[in-house]
Amino acid sequence: MGRIGQEPDGSNEFPWNLPAVSSLDHLDFTSPVTFLVGENGSGKSTLIEAIAVATGLNAEGGTRNLRFQERPTESQLEKRFTLAWNKRPRRTFFLRAETFFNMASAYERAGSPDPDPMVELHSLSHGQQFLTAMRERFGPGGLFLMDEPESALSFTSQLALLRVMHEYSATGSQFIVATHSPVLLAFPEATIWHLDAEGMRTASWEEVPPVTDIRAFLADPALYLHYLFNDD
């Protein structure tokens, strides 16, 4: 993907009341890996969902060929998006942590005449499901969207995901990821967009809250717990 652009709305309703959405005119994706990072409710998932739907993917995850809906979640933001491509991806996939169970069930119901690990996802642990989906549906020359993939992954599994991203970004694939993980955010030369009350801005790994906050907590957890548990 080269860029997304948004028509102005002027509404005070969700999602246009989110600073990251209301301030967005266009967003260029010039790096193989782009991260969206911000506090809960800042609009990360809303934006990545809208990009996925505008790309033709199912709002609850999967490829373009997987169509199912357990509960409508779309914000209609994608209807105001205009997508511009430098090169059309050969394959696309949306991994959304919040609705992954529903996606796995949809693959199970659909079945496959050929052996397909995606049909057997429910037989695996939560983290194994995520890694299996990534390994089975990611590939060269693709566009892959992920919303908080770290939610099911241990530290070691997050490192495994970084390896997968490195392998396929080197073969022409592009990743757009909403995350809270300082591990994933460390991907070399990735573009990081920080969403906050002021809107969106690019940031470095060293300055984003998932990194600075975790560093501060690990440096002195007793101090944090003292104030957290203090009832006075």
Side-chain angles (χ1 to χ4, degrees):
M1 180 186 296
R3 157 184 293 206
I4 60 171
Q6 180 193 190
E7 298 176 13
D9 180 86
S11 172
N12 288 322
E13 298 181 354
F14 178 83
W16 290 275
N17 59 350
L18 298 173
V21 173
S22 62
S23 65
L24 177 63
D25 174 56
H26 69 273
L27 190 58
D28 292 315
F29 294 93
T30 57
S31 303
V33 176
T34 300
F35 291 111
L36 304 179
V37 60
E39 189 52 78
N40 294 334
S42 61
K44 302 184 308 300
S45 296
T46 299
L47 277 174
I48 207 161
E49 177 194 72
I51 294 170
V53 175
T55 304
L57 294 165
N58 193 65
E60 295 183 46
T63 64
R64 285 195 180 102
N65 295 327
L66 186 69
R67 314 310 300 183
F68 72 98
Q69 185 180 75
E70 296 295 332
R71 184 182 185 281
T73 60
E74 300 91 320
S75 66
Q76 306 304 309
L77 176 60
E78 75 280 352
K79 292 182 179 179
R80 296 188 176 273
F81 275 178
T82 300
L83 274 59
W85 303 90
N86 293 329
K87 185 178 180 181
R88 287 278 180 177
R90 295 204 299 266
R91 65 180 76 193
T92 53
F93 185 76
F94 181 27
L95 188 149
R96 184 175 186 179
E98 183 180 10
T99 54
F100 191 93
F101 184 93
N102 298 340
M103 185 199 73
S105 298
Y107 273 111
E108 185 177 60
R109 289 192 299 269
S112 175
D114 303 311
D116 185 357
M118 298 295 286
V119 177
E120 307 294 334
L121 287 175
H122 281 312
S123 66
L124 303 174
S125 74
H126 196 29
Q128 289 174 323
Q129 290 176 11
F130 275 46
L131 289 176
T132 296
M134 295 163 187
R135 289 167 175 151
E136 291 297 318
R137 290 300 183 261
F138 292 174
L143 172 64
F144 306 113
L145 310 175
M146 292 186 282
D147 184 16
E148 300 185 5
E150 73 277 6
S151 64
L153 302 181
S154 67
F155 171 76
T156 302
S157 292
Q158 289 182 54
L159 295 180
L161 173 54
L162 285 176
R163 174 63 199 183
V164 172
M165 293 170 64
H166 168 74
E167 177 182 351
Y168 289 123
S169 63
T171 58
S173 288
Q174 189 172 27
F175 293 86
I176 303 174
V177 186
T179 185
H180 296 285
S181 168
V183 177
L184 298 184
L185 288 166
F187 192 95
E189 299 182 8
T191 296
I192 300 175
W193 284 94
H194 182 206
L195 286 63
D196 59 19
E198 303 300 320
M200 294 179 63
R201 62 179 178 85
T202 56
S204 66
W205 180 82
E206 292 85 358
E207 66 179 311
V208 290
V211 175
T212 58
D213 292 349
I214 289 293
R215 276 181 166 169
F217 178 82
L218 292 177
D220 192 354
L223 178 64
Y224 277 77
L225 297 178
H226 169 76
Y227 285 105
L228 183 65
F229 298 158
N230 189 346
D231 295 328
D232 295 334

